[in-house]
Amino acid sequence: NPHPPNLMFPIIILALWGILMTSSICLRQTDLKALIAYSSVSHMGLVAAAIIVQTPWGLTGAMTLMVAHGLTSSALFALANTNYERTHTRTLLLVRGLQLAFPLMSTWWLLTNLTNMAMPPTINLLGELFIISTLFNWSTPTIIITGMGTLITATYSLYMFLMTQRGSISTQFQLLPPTHTREHLNLTLHLLPLGLLIMKPAL
């Protein structure tokens, strides 16, 4: 191992602590784009920890999760923008019940949020499993932090979906322009590679 364990230890601890902190911040976010941005930081904490451990499994998991999260986070920002273009606000409390106005877009929201929390059979799950296994092999107690991080990720992903899609829609948002084919194509091109890459991750 090229890195002495005494130098690795504090950096990995900081990366793991960052996962918990940024995930927890997501639970208190009122701005949709800020929530997605902090979600990215949380996932990159896992990647940073895996890279520093310097094992083949860790590096494989880091590479896989970076590709997976690049597509997932981009899809979430695209979805947030489709909301913003129509409602002109990013505040979660103001815009609710969009499933009634855009049922197909609501399907994209659900699939992307499930992918963000590492739903099988996406490569997000593969990357996270590799990284969590690597960290567990490096030090057993890390399973507590990575496990809590996974739990909080699932919580804020469902929170994001429920806040934007469920509930009753405000009367000021009932005459919204419809979604366009280009937006659905954009999201298809994000989520299709995530579904297909698991068949041949070597690509």
Side-chain angles (χ1 to χ4, degrees), residues 8-200:
M8 287 164 55
F9 192 75
I11 302 171
I12 296 175
I13 292 300
L14 283 171
L16 291 168
W17 185 243
I19 294 166
L20 278 187
M21 288 296 98
T22 48
S23 298
S24 304
I25 286 169
C26 287
L27 294 172
R28 291 294 302 271
Q29 277 304 318
T30 54
D31 186 301
L32 183 57
K33 283 193 176 178
L35 200 165
I36 298 164
Y38 277 112
S39 164
S40 290
V41 180
S42 168
H43 283 93
M44 287 308 108
L46 272 174
V47 170
I51 290 170
I52 293 161
V53 173
Q54 289 283 300
T55 61
W57 268 48
L59 294 173
T60 305
M63 179 65 74
T64 309
L65 192 58
M66 278 193 281
V67 172
H69 190 69
L71 288 163
T72 310
S73 194
S74 177
L76 283 169
F77 276 119
L79 283 164
N81 188 57
T82 60
N83 282 10
Y84 182 73
E85 282 179 346
R86 288 162 177 81
T87 61
H88 306 291
T89 179
R90 297 198 307 256
T91 307
L92 286 164
L93 284 169
L94 296 179
V95 186
R96 303 195 64 176
L98 287 178
Q99 184 182 358
L100 295 168
F102 311 119
L104 183 54
M105 199 54 81
S106 188
T107 307
W108 290 125
W109 269 104
L110 180 64
L111 286 173
T112 314
N113 276 308
L114 288 173
T115 308
N116 194 47
M117 64 168 96
M119 167 190 71
T122 56
I123 54 169
N124 301 58
L125 178 68
L126 192 71
E128 285 194 20
L129 281 176
F130 268 122
I131 292 171
I132 291 168
S133 303
T134 300
L135 291 169
F136 181 70
N137 189 46
W138 175 74
S139 173
T140 311
T142 57
I143 197 73
I144 298 166
I145 298 174
T146 51
M148 283 176 67
T150 307
L151 183 67
I152 299 170
T153 301
T155 310
Y156 71 68
S157 295
L158 289 171
Y159 163 73
M160 191 191 331
F161 177 75
L162 292 172
M163 285 297 283
T164 55
Q165 304 304 306
R166 305 297 294 162
S168 54
I169 192 166
S170 171
T171 49
Q172 63 181 333
F173 296 131
Q174 282 181 357
L175 294 171
L176 296 171
T179 52
H180 305 296
T181 307
R182 61 175 168 80
E183 291 167 337
H184 295 295
L185 177 64
N186 182 10
L187 290 156
T188 305
L189 294 174
H190 275 97
L191 293 181
L192 200 60
L194 282 170
L196 295 176
L197 271 171
I198 197 72
M199 296 179 187
K200 192 168 172 58

